[in-house]
Amino acid sequence: MTVSDTSRLVLDEPYARPILVDGARDLASITDRVCGVVERPTPPRAWYVAITITSCLTLMLFAMVGYLIATGVGVWGNNSPAFWGWDIVNFVFWVGIAHAGTLISAILFLLRQKWRTSINRAAEAMTLFAVCCAGLYPAVHVGRVWVAYWLFPVPNQMQMWPNFRSPLLWDVFAVSTYATVSLLFWYMGLLPDLATLRDRATSGLKRGLYGFFALGWCGSARHWQRFERAYLILAALATPLVLSVHSVVSFDFAVSQVPGWHTTIFPPYFVAGAIFSGFGMVVTTMVPARELFGLKELITLRHLENMNKVILATGSIVGLAYATEFFIAWYGGNPYERFVFLNRALGPYWWAYWLMIFCNVVAPQFLWIKKIRTNLLFMFVISIFVNIGMWLERFVIVVTSLTRDYIPSSWGYFKPTAVDVCTFVGTIGLFLTLFLLFCRFLPMVAIAEVKTILPAAHGHGAHGKHGGEGRPGREVSHG
Amino acid sequence: MAERATNTGAGELHALLAEFDDVDAVSGAARALRDAGYRRFEVYSPFPIHGIERSMGLSPTRLPWIALGAGLTGTSLALFFQWWTNAVDYPFKISGKPLFGIPANIPVTFEFTVLLASFGAFFGMLILNRLPEHHRPVFENPRFRRATDDGFFLAVEVDDPRFDPRATRALLEQHTRRPLEECRDSGQTRELPGSVRAALVSVAALGLLPLAGVVWARSQDSSRPPIHVVNDMDSQPRYRAQAANPVFSDGRAMRSDALGTQAFGELPRPGTITTGKQGDAWTESFPVPVTPAFLARGRERFAIYCTPCHGQSGYGDGLVALRAAELQEQNWVQPSSLHDPLVRARPVGQLFDTVVNGVRTMPAYGRQIPREDAWAVVAYVRALQRSQNAAQADVPPTERAKLGAQ
């Protein structure tokens, strides 16, 4: 960067309120724009095409799960020595994706990053749908699904209790708490918007349904006061929760004694990877969704660019973690640990490892360039790379460590079966189906929250609107 | 118009409703009402207005305390429950970990704290806000629908002690140019009719019956095996002992050892000690020295292997035999009495052979009883036979006097 480049930086003035949405500047137009997506008589044709494909994939998922339950987990490729296969890979993959929603909702809320308001609703919904896909795997991989309730401390005729000292049980509590709190957080944020849809509804059925779930929200100041306080508390609770969930998932690995898993770097490394993959998925879904539903003025290029910056930052953290793992494997002097890492890069799964390095470490680095991170096509492609790369990361961790551990006579090579592949593709179908239904029937953007960042929401003084309107930043001169 | 209407229904005035252009106007009106001493008025807006609670003179909400209480409840419940289940009710040592220790129990405690605190925040918000509440008098005003879109409203309830039809109206009109509206409560209840409610309550109560049945059943003692919903382990695809199996040419499910199979330590060694024979005849003497310790060993082995059928004293009245007699088992052969003259006459070698290889319906015990122990059993049987068929002459002279005294 030359001196002339830096001399005219445009910075957001801390005390002026930046304009975070384009075009639609008054309250009613925000309502119209967001509710319009839900209220239009028929969705765009692309929506029909998409949901036809994704619901077929979802049906395939149900068929695969039914086949698995009827037959047994032998229909998957899991076998000695890799007793964890795609089931755990996919579980960790989906749980990771589920982290972006709460991060945007809670952490960015606490950090007062107002730009989050346009994307937090959709990201939270994605969190819930990703948790659905993730939760499916532990539930069905136990083999005898009908006794999956043994995972929970329920009084039973065996007079036994689960072992609370096991990371697998911590996982049950972490993921189910995360799913519950995310649902509450999402639903609570939806209440005012459901009331908006209720009050705009033209048919009695819609009015009844939206009204039922809006719980009679009326927008009174006393309600808003408690609502805002509850939102703040939930954000403050969800922030450590979101960090704890993937930490606990990483304990599933780190507390074991398998080489390549038994490391203390896992919790922070998993959390960074989860945020990375989650933002990747948010970009993957939001780029087409904002085009499809005409929300470009609410979900602006600025939002996408900010998310790309998060992807760049967390992708670099993930790259640093890979390097640190290698360094510690060498520096720690444990021959098994050294072998595992050399085996990852040079062993039979070298292709997965180097593809992962390319997708997670190399590809996001292009986002340093502003032209790329503000280009829809490039960011979409990079986000797809991030999704693939993060799936491969879990595959590399689970499979390379299990197939070649201490005893060479027990080494093996993991091969997924067609059922493995179809189940995974089916969860992608389930995720997208739920997301498409959400886009069609619920407000994709938090209407009430976006209104709070409009100039009209901030009346200072008795007359007139906010003075900073139309002045998104000030020019700073660096002499 | 302002007097408290009697509870006669339609058209009862509930509040005076004013609409405002923007945030500033509604906040100004709220401040004016607050300063004039009004309390029962409410501001409605499509989004939270910054600072409105100060303009209205609202006190801070108790919600954080509810969330804190719920969170602390979660912490203590989780800690107590983990300690009680894993260290008290079902102690289970695993990986050398302590039954209860803070580090391993932190994750679940943390998650449960967050869970209950979130419940406290969410449900506390609903309860303090008295939601769900689907019917409100303000909803009956069609203009009010804009309160969730772009309308700012303020309603002063007639219940407010400062409410005065003219003065309040004048006060509000200073802040808005829009016409004020009277918000009336039509009194129409949206509550469900009594019959529907009764039906719902009945269904809910009936729905609890299965649960009550389970609780009742679990609190009872029963000698019958527990009911499993899914009989995983109870029905296994396997052949039971003595069952027929068409796969094999002899039709038997139980397979004998392949020809020539010999277990370790079972190689037949020649000699009296393994065959019980001297030459071709049963031996009459023990091939091992008979000592009190040897006899005690024999007594112990006899009690384990022989008493179930033959009985403690050897009359063929063991528990198995008694039960078979009680059940009148058709195929049961009464075990021989060891005091039968025929048995007493047998040489020890033949008795040894009976123990090791079985006879008639008595199975062979050679696999369970090593050869030396089988000799000990035979020695004990001999002692038993002697004890049950003793004559007075067998008692030593020094003891014989005592017998007579009894």
Side-chain angles (χ1 to χ4, degrees), chain B residues 56 81 103 294 313 341 365:
Chain B
M56 291 172 68
F81 192 72
F294 188 68
S313 313
Y365 282 83

PDB file of all heavy atoms in Angstrom, chain B residues 56 81 103 294 313 341 365:
ATOM      1  N   MET B  56     -40.858   7.139  30.704  1.00  0.00           N
ATOM      2  CA  MET B  56     -42.112   6.694  31.310  1.00  0.00           C
ATOM      3  C   MET B  56     -42.010   6.563  32.816  1.00  0.00           C
ATOM      4  O   MET B  56     -43.012   6.366  33.498  1.00  0.00           O
ATOM      5  CB  MET B  56     -42.535   5.336  30.738  1.00  0.00           C
ATOM      6  CG  MET B  56     -42.959   5.393  29.289  1.00  0.00           C
ATOM      7  SD  MET B  56     -43.202   3.734  28.655  1.00  0.00           S
ATOM      8  CE  MET B  56     -44.634   3.221  29.575  1.00  0.00           C
ATOM      9  N   PHE B  81     -26.706 -33.592  41.669  1.00  0.00           N
ATOM     10  CA  PHE B  81     -27.183 -34.776  40.948  1.00  0.00           C
ATOM     11  C   PHE B  81     -26.006 -35.637  40.485  1.00  0.00           C
ATOM     12  O   PHE B  81     -26.060 -36.862  40.574  1.00  0.00           O
ATOM     13  CB  PHE B  81     -28.017 -34.331  39.749  1.00  0.00           C
ATOM     14  CG  PHE B  81     -28.780 -35.447  39.111  1.00  0.00           C
ATOM     15  CD1 PHE B  81     -29.871 -36.008  39.746  1.00  0.00           C
ATOM     16  CD2 PHE B  81     -28.394 -35.947  37.882  1.00  0.00           C
ATOM     17  CE1 PHE B  81     -30.576 -37.039  39.163  1.00  0.00           C
ATOM     18  CE2 PHE B  81     -29.092 -36.985  37.292  1.00  0.00           C
ATOM     19  CZ  PHE B  81     -30.184 -37.527  37.936  1.00  0.00           C
ATOM     20  N   PRO B 103     -13.120 -31.240  38.485  1.00  0.00           N
ATOM     21  CA  PRO B 103     -12.754 -31.053  37.064  1.00  0.00           C
ATOM     22  C   PRO B 103     -13.640 -31.834  36.098  1.00  0.00           C
ATOM     23  O   PRO B 103     -14.130 -31.266  35.132  1.00  0.00           O
ATOM     24  CB  PRO B 103     -11.309 -31.551  37.017  1.00  0.00           C
ATOM     25  CG  PRO B 103     -10.811 -31.397  38.387  1.00  0.00           C
ATOM     26  CD  PRO B 103     -11.969 -31.655  39.285  1.00  0.00           C
ATOM     27  N   PHE B 294      -6.805 -85.225  53.218  1.00  0.00           N
ATOM     28  CA  PHE B 294      -7.326 -85.777  51.973  1.00  0.00           C
ATOM     29  C   PHE B 294      -8.818 -86.034  52.106  1.00  0.00           C
ATOM     30  O   PHE B 294      -9.621 -85.686  51.230  1.00  0.00           O
ATOM     31  CB  PHE B 294      -6.564 -87.072  51.690  1.00  0.00           C
ATOM     32  CG  PHE B 294      -6.849 -87.685  50.342  1.00  0.00           C
ATOM     33  CD1 PHE B 294      -6.447 -87.049  49.175  1.00  0.00           C
ATOM     34  CD2 PHE B 294      -7.507 -88.900  50.245  1.00  0.00           C
ATOM     35  CE1 PHE B 294      -6.699 -87.631  47.945  1.00  0.00           C
ATOM     36  CE2 PHE B 294      -7.767 -89.480  49.019  1.00  0.00           C
ATOM     37  CZ  PHE B 294      -7.353 -88.845  47.860  1.00  0.00           C
ATOM     38  N   SER B 313     -26.054 -87.000  53.163  1.00  0.00           N
ATOM     39  CA  SER B 313     -25.687 -88.274  53.768  1.00  0.00           C
ATOM     40  C   SER B 313     -25.557 -89.387  52.750  1.00  0.00           C
ATOM     41  O   SER B 313     -25.207 -90.515  53.105  1.00  0.00           O
ATOM     42  CB  SER B 313     -26.729 -88.681  54.813  1.00  0.00           C
ATOM     43  OG  SER B 313     -27.012 -87.586  55.641  1.00  0.00           O
ATOM     44  N   PRO B 341     -26.452-102.021  49.579  1.00  0.00           N
ATOM     45  CA  PRO B 341     -25.416-103.054  49.731  1.00  0.00           C
ATOM     46  C   PRO B 341     -24.609-103.258  48.464  1.00  0.00           C
ATOM     47  O   PRO B 341     -23.394-103.476  48.516  1.00  0.00           O
ATOM     48  CB  PRO B 341     -26.223-104.301  50.076  1.00  0.00           C
ATOM     49  CG  PRO B 341     -27.506-103.796  50.622  1.00  0.00           C
ATOM     50  CD  PRO B 341     -27.781-102.487  49.987  1.00  0.00           C
ATOM     51  N   TYR B 365     -18.119 -86.795  35.675  1.00  0.00           N
ATOM     52  CA  TYR B 365     -17.578 -85.592  36.309  1.00  0.00           C
ATOM     53  C   TYR B 365     -16.083 -85.447  36.082  1.00  0.00           C
ATOM     54  O   TYR B 365     -15.434 -84.630  36.724  1.00  0.00           O
ATOM     55  CB  TYR B 365     -17.906 -85.592  37.808  1.00  0.00           C
ATOM     56  CG  TYR B 365     -19.342 -85.175  38.067  1.00  0.00           C
ATOM     57  CD1 TYR B 365     -20.378 -86.080  37.975  1.00  0.00           C
ATOM     58  CD2 TYR B 365     -19.638 -83.828  38.327  1.00  0.00           C
ATOM     59  CE1 TYR B 365     -21.687 -85.688  38.167  1.00  0.00           C
ATOM     60  CE2 TYR B 365     -20.944 -83.435  38.507  1.00  0.00           C
ATOM     61  CZ  TYR B 365     -21.975 -84.368  38.436  1.00  0.00           C
ATOM     62  OH  TYR B 365     -23.264 -83.954  38.605  1.00  0.00           O
TER      63      TYR B 365
END
